Amino acid sequence: MSQVVSGPGGNARPDLPLAVVVGAGGMAMAVARRLGPGHRLLIADRDGEHLARQVARLDEEGHDAAGLRCDLTSAEDIAALAERAAAAGPVKVLANVVGLSVAAGDFDLIMRVNLIGAARVAEAFLPVFAPGGCGVFVSSSSAHMSPVAPELWPLLDAPTAPDFLDRLHAALGDKAEVNLAYPLSKAALNRMCLRLAAPWGRKGLRILSMSPGLIATPMGAEAYKHSAGKRKLFDAVPVGREATMLEVADLVAFLVSDRASYLSGTDILMDGGLIAALRFPEA
């Protein structure tokens, strides 16, 4: 674990609740910075060296921040993250921002991070939240672009089963390709948040998914050079632009706040109207 030591001139804020941000990429750090003024921060990421640099930057900016290396493909790492959060609590916010795109090139790995890992995070954090806490799982508008075969839902609803991937491959056959892994994992993630609303609510907690559309990032900009399909999606966005990472962070901050206290068990689609335009192109 990387931890910035506090003393005279330090940023320790023991009076603030804890926000756990899973991921240390650009969008995750935008979320962390948006949450930082009102929370202590615990950042988790698979890349320990990158994580240490990001936590150091947060400390330089005045945040009370710590980091813990966590690989979402490891149940042990996720359990350790929840244990660390519980010890540092009270835990009021969980923002699961990390996710793998089609660029990962591996069907199983995408499912392990985007769905299995997220499900394990939700399971591990349920008992450590303070009352009134909220978990937001960042998904994708891709989850809304094509329907999932109804016969797959009983399988997708149990992603932490030991034989989940074997059964998924058996059900999909030749369709178990990288291009399907991303939207399928995100659709199942959204449904997970709907299914968990009741058990979380019984503990005084809220759970939500949030599905961004096209987001302005350096990596995303590079993708336009190699994907004519992505350019067509951009041209179809009714508001005429991508979302910024700051807009995503603002929405996450709103969703975990008391101002959104009646929102739970739903997905918030933030796509500039893209899905609507794709469904009603001639309207």
Side-chain angles (χ1 to χ4, degrees), residues 128-176:
V128 306
F129 264 112
C134 181
V136 173
F137 290 75
V138 176
S139 183
S140 168
S141 61
S142 296
H144 297 264
M145 288 188 179
S146 57
V148 175
E151 61 270 20
L152 288 179
W153 283 125
L155 173 57
L156 293 169
D157 285 347
T160 60
D163 61 346
F164 170 71
L165 284 173
D166 290 337
R167 294 174 60 204
L168 186 59
H169 277 280
L172 292 174
D174 293 341
K175 295 180 181 178

Side-chain angles (χ1 to χ4, degrees), residues 65-134:
L68 184 68
R69 186 188 177 280
C70 179
D71 185 339
L72 284 199
T73 66
S74 167
E76 293 77 13
D77 280 10
I78 293 170
L81 176 62
E83 182 178 353
R84 171 69 179 88
V91 182
K92 293 302 291 286
V93 172
L94 168 67
N96 190 84
V97 186
V98 69
L100 294 181
S101 70
V102 174
D106 186 313
F107 180 94
D108 284 9
L109 182 58
I110 292 170
M111 297 302 296
R112 287 183 188 279
V113 172
N114 293 4
L115 180 57
I116 299 173
R120 285 174 173 163
V121 168
E123 185 178 83
F125 271 83
L126 178 60
V128 306
F129 264 112
C134 181

Side-chain angles (χ1 to χ4, degrees), residues 23 31 179 188:
V31 169
N179 287 337

Side-chain angles (χ1 to χ4, degrees), residues 8-111:
N11 301 322
R13 288 294 307 272
D15 55 310
L16 296 178
L18 186 70
V20 179
V21 179
V22 184
M27 192 189 310
M29 297 310 294
V31 169
R33 288 182 171 91
R34 185 65 180 80
L35 296 174
H39 301 82
R40 289 174 292 127
L41 298 171
L42 176 59
I43 315 297
D45 194 79
R46 182 180 63 85
D47 186 335
E49 292 183 1
H50 172 73
L51 174 63
R53 291 192 296 270
Q54 297 288 49
V55 170
R57 290 191 185 101
L58 289 171
D59 179 69
E60 291 171 358
E61 295 167 9
H63 298 283
D64 182 342
L68 184 68
R69 186 188 177 280
C70 179
D71 185 339
L72 284 199
T73 66
S74 167
E76 293 77 13
D77 280 10
I78 293 170
L81 176 62
E83 182 178 353
R84 171 69 179 88
V91 182
K92 293 302 291 286
V93 172
L94 168 67
N96 190 84
V97 186
V98 69
L100 294 181
S101 70
V102 174
D106 186 313
F107 180 94
D108 284 9
L109 182 58
I110 292 170
M111 297 302 296

Side-chain angles (χ1 to χ4, degrees), residues 139-145 182 211-214 269-271 274-275:
S139 183
S140 168
S141 61
S142 296
H144 297 264
M145 288 188 179
Y182 185 74
S211 294
L214 300 175
L269 180 60
M270 180 191 184
D271 69 341
L274 175 60
I275 297 300

